[in-house]
């Protein structure tokens, strides 16, 4: 199974220039152009997005079928909270790998400007005081637990944000492009959810991402090098249960282990060239480095502090600028998958990691309970 076309929209706080249908079509047309294909070449469409109340439009797939060339063809909707972009790509990949369809368009989107996702994520729980505001209020205690557990110094979170915002300046599709960003500015930004500062959190973005997935025959006709899927998996667990490890969720560890097994990876730190990780709050970079096996427990922050995850480090993380710079929630996971594919295709532009041959795309969602990951490579896997 291969990725032969990738398309992203421009991302912004509000894309008032297009309707929801226009937004998704912008990404789809760019993916088709990249693949050298037309609407008639698509056998099916797999659409993903986060909760409907993020835009206030129930079941948008019903009226987006026309915009995405799905009239008369199968259209499938996927929803796994914030990981949905990754899950959508994996569902599309499964349809191709199982030979149900030859060529499938996978697309994920969000138009947050038409609703208010932060307050949508602050719904009151019955019989409980509404003490949380947005996802940051939920995840900040997990970050504090990580800091206590690992002994990580306070500078680590700002270092991640500073890196990702600088990387975003190389990405023409990124939402936040902060010229003149400095580490001191990140550290001086207001505290939102202790210890997460304003500049250490993701924006609210409008945007969409699309990929075209096909089999070996379709890949052979591609005008550009394809990205080959070497492994992919999804895992889930409840939001809350006795013994849940919120710092390093079991579902994340198991999902990564499955992907590595499929891809023949035994030492991810040495065998993976670049990783696009779902990091909506800066401290999740060191946390996920541990959860995914790139570092031993309690030592992920040392990779960040040592510059290993910088664009010129030996394990670049989020060269695109990541979720910290662009966050259309429904599409954020697919962007991670697409950016990983761009890297191994050698088509990532100014944020290309030289010589990248294997890349990991990662997404998580809900209360760190849904995980989706894939590993893509420049070479077709054996077998």
């Amino acid at each position: 199974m291969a990725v032969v076309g990738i398309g992203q929209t421009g991302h912004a706080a509000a894309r008032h220039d297009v309707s929801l249908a226009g937004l998704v079509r912008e990404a789809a047309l760019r993916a088709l152009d990249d693949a050298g294909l037309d609407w008639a070449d698509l056998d099916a469409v797999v659409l993903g997005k986060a909760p409907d109340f993020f835009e206030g439009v129930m079941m948008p797939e019903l009226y987006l079928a026309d915009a995405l060339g799905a009239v008369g063809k199968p259209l499938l909707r996927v929803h796994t909270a914030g990981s949905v972009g990754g899950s959508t790509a994996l569902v599309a990949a499964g349809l191709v790998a199982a030979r149900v369809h030859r060529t499938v368009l996978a697309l994920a989107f969000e138009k947050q400007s038409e609703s208010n996702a932060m307050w949508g994520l602050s719904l009151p729980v019955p019989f409980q005081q509404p003490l949380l505001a947005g996802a940051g209020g939920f995840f900040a205690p997990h970050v504090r637990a990580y800091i206590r557990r690992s002994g990580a110094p306070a500078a680590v979170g700002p270092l991640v944000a500073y890196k990702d915002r600088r990387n975003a300046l190389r990405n023409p599709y990124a939402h936040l492009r902060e010229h003149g960003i400095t580490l001191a500015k990140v550290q001086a930004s207001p505290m939102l959810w202790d210890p997460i500062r304003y500049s250490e959190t993701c924006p609210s973005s409008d945007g969409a991402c699309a990929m075209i997935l096909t089999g070996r025959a379709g890949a052979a006709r591609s005008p550009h090098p394809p990205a080959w899927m070497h492994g992919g998996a999804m895992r889930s667990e409840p939001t809350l249960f006795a013994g849940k490890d919120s710092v390093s969720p079991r579902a994340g560890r198991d999902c990564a282990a499955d992907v590595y097994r499929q891809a023949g990876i035994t030492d991810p730190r040495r065998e993976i060239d670049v990783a696009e990780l779902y990091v909506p709050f800066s401290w999740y970079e060191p946390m996920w480095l541990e959860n995914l096996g790139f570092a031993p427990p309690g030592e992920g922050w040392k990779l960040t502090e040592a510059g290993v995850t910088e664009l010129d480090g030996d394990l670049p993380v989020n060269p695109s600028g990541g979720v910290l710079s662009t966050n259309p929630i429904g599409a954020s996971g697919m962007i991670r998958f697409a950016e990983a594919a761009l890297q191994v295709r050698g088509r990532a532009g100014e944020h290309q990691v030289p010589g990248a041959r294997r890349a990991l795309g990662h997404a998580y969602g809900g209360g760190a309970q849904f995980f989706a990951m894939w590993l893509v490579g420049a070479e077709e896997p054996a077998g």
Side-chain angles (χ1 to χ4, degrees):
M1 199 290 305
V3 181
V4 295
I6 295 172
Q8 288 186 56
T9 64
H11 302 284
R15 285 291 307 272
H16 294 311
D17 59 313
V18 288
S19 65
L20 194 53
L23 186 73
V24 299
R25 195 171 174 88
E26 183 179 312
L29 285 169
R30 287 175 176 169
L32 285 167
D33 182 65
D34 185 29
L37 299 176
D38 203 348
W39 297 105
D41 298 309
L42 301 176
D43 299 312
V45 176
V46 182
L47 183 72
K49 78 167 302 291
D52 288 347
F53 58 72
F54 281 8
E55 287 106 354
V57 179
M58 296 302 294
M59 295 188 288
E61 64 275 11
L62 297 181
Y63 80 96
L64 293 179
D66 189 25
L68 294 175
V71 175
K73 301 176 183 179
L75 185 149
L76 178 64
R77 158 88 182 270
V78 179
H79 172 46
T80 56
S83 73
V84 66
S87 302
T88 301
L90 291 175
V91 169
L95 291 172
V96 173
R99 299 183 181 179
V100 175
H101 301 296
R102 291 171 298 179
T103 303
V104 177
L105 170 67
L107 186 139
F109 70 93
E110 202 75 63
K111 211 166 190 290
Q112 292 191 62
S113 66
E114 298 188 359
S115 184
N116 192 319
M118 176 170 169
W119 293 111
L121 289 168
S122 306
L123 298 174
V125 179
F127 315 112
Q128 195 171 316
Q129 288 180 315
L131 300 176
L132 302 180
F138 182 86
F139 290 116
H142 305 165
V143 171
R144 292 196 296 272
Y146 172 74
I147 293 171
R148 286 195 304 271
R149 185 184 297 187
S150 66
V156 170
L159 281 172
V160 175
Y162 178 47
K163 167 183 67 75
D164 284 3
R165 297 290 166 79
R166 282 183 289 127
N167 288 350
L169 292 171
R170 297 170 173 263
N171 180 1
Y173 295 113
H175 174 178
L176 297 182
R177 298 171 57 78
E178 297 185 52
H179 295 277
I181 187 72
T182 65
L183 182 59
K185 286 183 179 179
V186 174
Q187 292 171 318
S189 63
M191 187 70 73
L192 292 185
W193 307 278
D194 188 20
I196 303 169
R197 295 184 176 276
Y198 178 80
S199 291
E200 295 177 72
T201 191
C202 54
S204 175
S205 309
D206 286 0
C209 181
M211 290 192 290
I212 294 175
L213 297 88
T214 190
R216 183 180 288 113
R221 295 190 293 270
S222 174
H224 305 295
W228 295 94
M229 182 174 167
H230 289 207
M234 289 181 270
R235 289 292 188 280
S236 58
E237 63 183 45
T239 308
L240 300 169
F241 61 90
K244 179 181 173 82
D245 186 349
S246 296
V247 171
S248 184
R250 170 71 180 272
R253 297 196 305 271
D254 288 352
C255 190
D258 191 359
V259 172
Y260 298 157
R261 178 190 57 78
Q262 294 174 43
I265 297 290
T266 58
D267 185 353
R269 171 77 171 79
R270 303 298 173 190
E271 297 177 75
I272 295 175
D273 300 311
V274 57
E276 279 282 341
L277 307 184
Y278 200 113
V279 177
F281 308 104
S282 60
W283 280 95
Y284 270 87
E285 175 177 292
M287 292 167 68
W288 292 147
L289 288 172
E290 297 172 25
N291 186 250
L292 302 178
F294 289 109
E299 296 188 13
W301 64 268
K302 296 179 181 179
L303 299 186
T304 297
E305 188 180 59
V308 170
T309 62
E310 293 274 354
L311 189 58
D312 59 356
D314 64 9
L315 179 63
V317 173
N318 293 331
S320 67
V323 181
L324 279 176
S325 302
T326 305
N327 185 38
I329 296 175
S332 292
M334 186 175 288
I335 295 171
R336 309 281 68 72
F337 280 37
E339 287 287 349
L342 284 172
Q343 289 289 340
V344 300
R345 297 176 77 203
R347 294 177 60 79
E350 289 187 30
H351 60 281
Q352 176 71 47
V353 174
R357 308 300 291 172
R358 283 184 288 196
L360 179 72
H362 163 273
Y364 88 103
Q369 65 186 111
F370 300 119
F371 290 85
M373 304 174 205
W374 79 3
L375 194 134
V376 288
E379 287 84 28
E380 183 178 2

